[in-house]
Structures are given as structure tokens and as C-alpha cells.
Amino acid sequence: MRRQGSLEDISDGKLYDMNSMVKADARGCDGCSACCHDVGDLVELNPMDVDRLKKATGQSFTTLLERHISLRKEGKLMLPFLKMAGPEKACSFLSQEGRCQVHEMRPDICRLFPLGRVYQKDDYDYFLQVDACVKPSLGKIKVKRWLGFERYRDHKDFIISWHQVQKAMEFRLKFVYDDDQVDGLMKTFIDGFYGLDDKLDDDFYEGYWKRLPLIKDQLGIL
């Protein structure tokens, strides 16, 4: 999960790349779901996350918004987050047994945990969030294996691009003072990157790069 605080406060002080060995392996979690509770303001969803959740559930973005996703404002920017449910504020995708029902298609931040990303210009490294996992000891594992993405290069290119889109959108909104105009831009942003008319591409990456220039033009961002 994305945790609050400075990097020095929450990490072991090291940066890792995809080939680094890091103590992040929870070894199947052994039935634990502690990191899946009360994290609704931490698990931000990117367009690939929503695409995968649509495929995992067979639900549209609109339907997912009814139970599993909530829209939250980060400044003027509206973004989707995982929705928590019940008095225990458990992830709405957890079963009664506390198991993730979309584990193979789980969001990027869930897949990373207990790792996080730190961005540097047009690249990023990983860091280990200390004391984030409640298990007493974690095993060593290669970062690339822990993430489990077969097309790591494609995924990294997308993550960097999406980070840049968010920054460009935040900058664009700094100069918009009319609430109705902000709402209009946010509708274009959400519909364009997340709703996508609920058309699911066989290849997410190909569809994203194809639509990106058109959506950026509609939003007036570089």
C-alpha cells in the first residue's frame, strides 16, 4: 500500500531495481489479510487495474463503482480507489474467509506490497516499506518475480507514462478555477482512461497507447 511519511521514515533506506533481491516474500500470506483492511485511501487504481478488474468480474466500470470502487479527489484531480466494506473496513473483494477473489488480477499497489515506487525523472526504483507487513519475517525474492508481470518492460513503460499523465493533469488543473470546467475535465479524464465505453481490449497496452494521444488532446495536456 502507499503509506504516508517520508521515504526515510517508511523504508529501509535502500532502492531496488527489478533484478534486486529484497525481503518482500510473504510466502502465500498463510491466510493473513491484514493489509486488505482499512486501506481505501491508499489503494489508488490506474487504468490497467480497472481493465483487469473488469475482466476478472465481467462488470462494467459503472457497476464496479457501485460496490468495489470509489472516486476520491486528490486536490482537484479525481481518481478511483478500492472501496472498503463493513465494520472491519475490509476490501470489498475479500471473501468471507478473508481471501482475495481477484488475486490473479489484483491492483498494481496490492501486487507491489510491501514494496513501493519512488519516481526519478523518467524512471523509478522500488523501496521496501519496513514494518508494513505484519508477518514477523519475510523471505528474499527477486523484485521481478515478486511482481509477477510477464511483460515487465511493457508494464514499466505504462506506469511511467501514467505517472506523467497524472502530473500533467495536476498542472493543467492548477489553471482552471471554474468548478463546472473542472468537473467537465474530470469526466473526460475518468471516461477516457477508465470507462473507455467499457470496451475491453485483448491487449491493454496496445489499446492504452492507441487512445492516449486522443485523450490527452481532449484534456489539453502534453
Side-chain angles (χ1 to χ4, degrees):
M1 310 308 160
R2 188 182 58 187
R3 297 170 66 196
Q4 303 298 323
S6 68
L7 188 61
E8 293 76 14
D9 293 336
I10 65 175
S11 78
D12 62 358
K14 301 176 183 178
L15 294 178
Y16 303 89
D17 62 30
M18 67 175 181
N19 293 311
S20 298
M21 298 295 292
V22 60
K23 282 191 174 183
D25 189 0
R27 301 183 183 92
C29 301
D30 298 325
C32 176
S33 62
C35 63
C36 304
H37 291 73
D38 199 15
V39 291
D41 59 340
L42 301 179
V43 187
E44 177 189 309
L45 303 175
N46 64 45
M48 184 177 184
D49 292 332
V50 172
D51 180 84
R52 288 163 65 87
L53 290 176
K54 289 178 186 177
K55 291 173 180 174
T57 63
Q59 298 177 11
S60 68
F61 180 60
T62 300
T63 302
L64 286 170
L65 279 171
E66 294 174 1
R67 180 181 174 188
H68 297 294
I69 295 175
S70 61
L71 292 176
R72 296 170 179 256
K73 274 196 171 181
E74 296 270 296
K76 292 181 181 179
L77 185 62
M78 185 80 75
L79 293 166
F81 287 75
L82 269 188
K83 184 180 289 185
M84 302 294 107
E88 296 184 353
K89 298 181 180 179
C91 174
S92 57
F93 283 113
L94 278 184
S95 69
Q96 290 185 343
E97 295 72 33
R99 308 308 295 163
C100 179
Q101 299 179 86
V102 291
H103 190 262
E104 291 302 313
M105 296 290 199
R106 64 195 183 279
D108 192 63
I109 290 179
C110 302
R111 189 176 294 271
L112 269 174
F113 185 80
L115 301 180
R117 293 192 188 94
V118 55
Y119 292 88
Q120 301 171 344
K121 295 184 179 180
D122 295 331
D123 202 352
Y124 60 78
D125 289 308
Y126 300 96
F127 64 91
L128 176 64
Q129 303 179 69
V130 295
D131 301 324
C133 178
V134 300
K135 293 195 70 173
S137 63
L138 300 175
K140 277 195 171 184
I141 190 170
K142 185 177 285 190
V143 169
K144 186 175 182 180
R145 183 181 175 191
W146 179 245
L147 298 181
F149 282 108
E150 295 180 1
R151 296 167 61 181
Y152 182 84
R153 185 67 254 179
D154 287 335
H155 183 68
K156 184 168 186 176
D157 288 343
F158 159 67
I159 291 294
I160 292 171
S161 169
W162 182 240
H163 179 69
Q164 293 170 340
V165 166
Q166 286 184 282
K167 292 300 180 185
M169 196 64 203
E170 289 171 356
F171 183 77
R172 170 80 171 88
L173 290 170
K174 283 183 179 180
F175 303 96
V176 181
Y177 305 101
D178 180 79
D179 290 342
D180 289 339
Q181 188 178 358
V182 170
D183 291 344
L185 286 169
M186 284 297 89
K187 186 179 188 310
T188 299
F189 180 85
I190 294 295
D191 289 349
F193 285 115
Y194 293 97
L196 303 176
D197 295 324
D198 291 312
K199 176 183 179 298
L200 296 177
D201 297 293
D202 292 333
D203 188 307
F204 168 79
Y205 301 113
E206 182 178 334
Y208 172 79
W209 291 111
K210 182 178 180 180
R211 285 186 294 269
L212 182 61
L214 175 61
I215 300 173
K216 288 171 71 174
D217 184 63
Q218 292 173 343
L219 292 169
I221 62 175
L222 298 178

